[in-house]
Amino acid sequence: MSDTYQHYIGGGWDDGDGTETFESTNPATGERLGTFRRGTPSDIDRALAAAEAAEEEWAARSHIDRAEYLWDIYHELRDRHEELGEIVTKECGKEISEGKADVTEAWHMVEWAAGDARHPKGDVVPSEIASKDAYMRRKPRGVVGCITPWNFPVAIPFWHMAVALVEGNTVVWKPAEQTPWCGQIIAEMFEDAGIPEGVFNMVQGFGDAGAEIVEDERVDTVLFTGSAEVGHEVAEKVAQQPGKLAACEMGGKNGIVITEEADLDVAVHSAVMSSFKTTGQRCVSSERLVVHEDVYDEFKERFVEIASEVAVGDPLDEETFMGPLIEPGHVEKVTSYNELAREEDVNVLVDRTELDDDEIPDGHEAGNWVGPFVYEADPDAPLRCTHEEVFGPHVALLEYSGDIERAVEIHNDTNYGLAGAVISEDYRQINYYRDNAEVGLAYGNLPCIGAEVQLPFGGVKKSGNGYPSAREVIEAVTERTAWTLNNSKDIEMAQGLSADIKTSDD
């Protein structure tokens, strides 16, 4: 990599106005991956000015014309699948199959958005007056600010930007500060595709740069994926700006309900995937396993056995299941929650918080290593460890007795509502969960992780107020106009409203 990487503003590479830089570091080795310019408020200002200046001309193009730029990126993502998958793994620590899947999801999202350009747009709505045509048209909102997380550093930026661009908006994007290398590569793709000047802009940096995007009145929509704490600040600030929208997808304290009718092979497999993939660092990772008493002992034995042995190591090794945490500060957070669980007097079943020396691969001693932490707790106790998001391989087993209603009551007993799953061979139990679980993403006899781009992705309660992906993001990046055209020379009104003009002479 080059010495110091720049921002991309107004169609060119830009050193920015500040003098500070920051580094990207491999979380598995501590190796420096690159040095990047740290964006300032004035950099965001210039990026927004460029986006605003490009807005009218970009919106005037057809959907299909705009999508042509994305097709070039689609092919590049596919052609560089293996290479980019390794870069994702090196920069954010996901094991290699997940790194590659991140890139695959990105090209799926680009394919969906670009392909959608040729789909019918708007709705023809019957008027109660036969001589009228009524329909809805969509228009781009204008400038869209995108703030994306580190754990899906290629996929999620395209969740935000692909649809926004095809729908005629211009974009100012701040990648996560932990994964600027992936941001750099995406910006290079837009440049290679010949995206017109000012349509796409990227400013690297930290929260102060993101806050500038949120607060600037030139931004018409903010798309945010990240922590609940920051997301709530974004939503609060945007709510104070009339006419601006925010679509925020945030974290969760996600649960899996495993009933007495569960196939335990499916249950254990789903729980391990949900709890430990991405080292528990997905917004949809499960930290609460709600298990019926009739199957609890067998499930616990099997889950604990795997958690005790799950392969933690070099994320580039295809035999690894869990890589490192993203950064040292996050190791401290996860470790502190593990310690909190002990203080709250839970029964610890697996504690691999500190891995043995022989578990850490040679050359990876500086990595951010944490293994699974599993415990059982009282489902009715108001414990912080069972109700606050840890964002790591920290998992509570919560035993219940009774029916599916009781299980869902425990499941819903958090402030979050992002994702969840039910494992059962009884369709009535599955349907009860479907109808009553307080989640935005629900799965039956599956892990509660995973996303397909043609579906909305977002939560309820503390987990979000929008769905910044796939077709649902269209609602956040477009305005709808209800249009009615009279084909008659006479004016006739709906609801029987009189169209007669009366004067004092009548």
Side-chain angles (χ1 to χ4, degrees), residues 59-282:
R61 296 173 180 247
S62 71
H63 282 76
I64 294 165
D65 187 15
R66 294 190 293 255
E68 286 300 318
Y69 296 96
L70 288 178
W71 283 121
D72 289 345
I73 292 173
Y74 164 81
H75 289 295
E76 185 169 357
L77 287 165
R78 293 200 65 158
D79 292 344
R80 299 175 66 186
H81 183 211
E82 297 285 327
E83 172 206 352
L84 297 180
E86 286 194 10
I87 290 172
V88 170
T89 290
K90 286 179 180 178
E91 192 165 44
C92 79
K94 296 196 288 192
E95 56 87 7
I96 188 62
S97 78
E98 294 189 75
K100 293 176 183 177
D102 196 299
V103 180
T104 302
E105 187 173 335
W107 86 56
H108 285 176
M109 189 67 247
V110 173
E111 179 185 42
W112 190 93
D116 189 57
R118 289 187 180 271
H119 288 185
K121 298 289 176 181
D123 303 283
V124 175
V125 183
S127 171
E128 64 183 78
I129 308 301
S131 60
K132 293 180 181 178
D133 292 329
Y135 54 92
M136 288 186 288
R137 299 183 71 245
R138 289 191 183 274
K139 298 186 294 183
R141 297 206 79 231
V143 177
V144 174
C146 301
I147 303 171
T148 57
W150 59 263
N151 58 342
F152 286 84
V154 178
I156 290 180
F158 285 110
W159 285 10
H160 289 201
M161 296 190 294
V163 173
L165 290 167
V166 169
E167 291 297 325
N169 302 278
T170 56
V171 163
V172 175
W173 171 43
K174 190 203 84 68
E177 61 267 26
Q178 296 89 346
T179 50
W181 187 9
C182 291
Q184 169 72 22
I185 290 170
I186 290 172
E188 290 171 359
M189 288 183 177
F190 275 105
E191 182 186 44
D192 292 344
I195 196 84
E197 179 179 312
V199 172
F200 163 83
N201 304 273
M202 177 197 71
V203 177
Q204 301 274 19
F206 288 72
D208 55 340
E212 200 70 22
I213 290 174
V214 173
E215 294 171 4
D216 196 289
E217 63 182 11
R218 290 168 292 184
V219 175
D220 298 289
T221 291
V222 177
L223 302 180
F224 172 85
T225 302
S227 72
E229 290 72 22
V230 176
H232 294 151
E233 289 182 20
V234 170
E236 183 178 350
K237 289 178 180 178
V238 168
Q240 297 169 12
Q241 302 175 59
K244 183 180 287 191
L245 293 179
C248 300
E249 187 272 299
M250 297 172 279
K253 188 72 172 179
N254 309 296
I256 299 179
V257 169
I258 298 164
T259 79
E260 74 278 14
E261 300 295 336
D263 179 322
L264 287 190
D265 290 340
V266 174
V268 173
H269 193 173
S270 296
V272 170
M273 291 277 291
S274 300
S275 298
F276 303 134
K277 270 291 185 186
T278 326
T279 319
Q281 298 171 111
R282 291 179 180 232

Side-chain angles (χ1 to χ4, degrees), residues 276 279 307 310 312 322-323 325 334 338 350-355 359 368-374 392-394:
F276 303 134
T279 319
V310 69
V312 182
M322 278 176 51
L325 295 179
V334 173
N338 294 353
V350 178
D351 185 355
R352 297 174 64 191
T353 305
E354 296 186 14
L355 297 179
E359 293 184 89
N368 305 316
W369 301 108
V370 167
F373 184 84
V374 181
H394 172 108

